[in-house]
Amino acid sequence: MLSLKARPLTEDAFATFGDVIDRRIAKSFTINGGRTQRYHDLARVETLGEGARALVSLFVSQPVPVPLDVDFLERHPKGSQAFIPLHGERFLIVVAPPGETIDPNNVQAFVTDGRQGVNYRAGTWHAVQSVLDREGEFLVIDRGGPGHNCDEYPLKVRVTLD
Ligand SMILES: NC(=O)N[C@@H](O)C(=O)O
Ligand code: NI
């Protein structure tokens, strides 16, 4: 069993795995006659393959216990997957770089601060959504369309918090 203490999520630490969605680190500009600030182009949405399209969904998830025991990581080879909390929910992240196998030494765990979302790039191995503290509601943007787009890799990981 691999044991990991979740580290605070940062853009640099997550760069291998995808994007951190956080207006505090975003480029922005004023639109709509000064009434709106547009936080622009926060994540790269990937929808690969013939007939692929972007899906916009809502996930309402029950909280996970801490320590969190993960039994597998999954990946979506044909598209990215973004999770954006709608009410300041914190969540745990367990990731490994894209590849046909997972080196346990490359598995990393993070915890968000409630103002951060993530976008897993296509092929990034990740634990399924794991919200902390209370029921969470997330906007999810990922890839729909034909073909297989979810591989699982058995891996036991215990994730703790400070
Ligand atoms: N299955 C599904 O839509 N969600 C998972 O991919 C996940 O990462 O939570
Ligand atoms: Ni997923």
Side-chain angles (χ1 to χ4, degrees), residues 28-39:
S28 73
F29 47 89
T30 303
I31 59 173
N32 299 347
R35 284 207 307 267
T36 302
Q37 195 70 8
R38 178 176 172 137
Y39 295 84

Side-chain angles (χ1 to χ4, degrees), residues 47-59:
T47 55
L48 308 174
E50 183 70 27
R53 67 185 182 89
L55 301 177
V56 177
S57 307
L58 290 173
F59 280 26

